Amino acid sequence: MMTTKEAREIYLDSDCSYFTMCTNHYAKYIQYRQLELPKEQEDIWRNEKIQMLCLEIRKTGDYHKFIRLCEIASEFHDFENLRLALDALKRIKYPLASAECIHVAEALLGKKDFKVRSGLIFWAFDIGQKAIAIILMDVVLELLHHPNETDLAIERKIRKERRLCKKIIAELNLNFSNRYLKHYYDF
């Protein structure tokens, strides 16, 4: 039988994801689920994982850890975790390659279907932080600004993400100037 300490370790190692746990450690996943831990305990551990990732990002500036942080913190949809994500975003080491910029932009825009409203921009807007949503959209537009991109696959991905930006700006009425968007980001 799995102990609570072992459960914590497997939960944190799986980035607080049942899917990852089941995929990578099926037998331990079964044992974990048999413990029937309360959601409150998992929330405590999830907060621990968020704090760990924030410390790692401060040390390394690794954008991969930022993306993981966004995925884990999105479960909470609260201001404190949004604040931690914003701080982590500032600590990413730049410059990033075009493909890496796209990955960070996806974390901010959301990787799921538009109707699901995933990503930090929707999260900020949904908790009443429209100004932060605007700031995040500006970061995304900067990340997607690669006027001399020669890789056609990356250029197509950038165009796709820019179309999503337009949809989100219109949906949330983020009050960007059309002249600003056209001039700087070729919208």
Side-chain angles (χ1 to χ4, degrees), residues 46-64:
R46 189 177 292 116
N47 271 321
E48 286 179 35
K49 183 67 175 185
I50 291 167
Q51 295 300 325
M52 288 178 206
L53 286 170
C54 286
L55 286 174
E56 290 177 36
I57 294 166
R58 282 185 182 155
K59 290 177 186 173
T60 65
D62 186 355
Y63 80 95
H64 290 101

Side-chain angles (χ1 to χ4, degrees), residues 60-157:
T60 65
D62 186 355
Y63 80 95
H64 290 101
K65 293 184 187 329
F66 171 75
I67 292 168
R68 287 174 44 207
L69 171 72
C70 291
E71 291 169 0
I72 296 168
S74 68
E75 293 285 321
F76 290 112
H77 262 77
D78 64 356
F79 181 76
E80 181 58 27
N81 283 300
L82 177 63
R83 187 189 63 72
L84 290 172
L86 285 171
D87 183 61
L89 177 64
K90 292 177 195 172
R91 296 177 186 277
I92 293 174
K93 285 194 178 166
Y94 293 95
L96 297 173
S98 299
E100 296 168 340
C101 287
I102 292 169
H103 290 302
V104 174
E106 286 176 337
L108 300 175
L109 293 170
K111 294 180 183 180
K112 298 178 182 172
D113 186 77
F114 180 76
K115 295 175 188 171
V116 176
R117 296 174 66 96
S118 66
L120 257 63
I121 292 172
F122 278 118
W123 173 4
F125 186 84
D126 290 346
I127 65 169
Q129 300 295 320
K130 185 175 180 178
I132 292 175
I134 292 171
I135 290 167
L136 290 170
M137 181 59 77
D138 188 52
V139 170
V140 169
L141 293 172
E142 286 292 332
L143 288 167
L144 297 176
H145 186 63
H146 295 270
N148 301 321
E149 183 59 54
T150 57
D151 186 321
L152 292 177
I154 290 177
E155 181 57 34
R156 279 194 299 273
K157 186 72 172 161

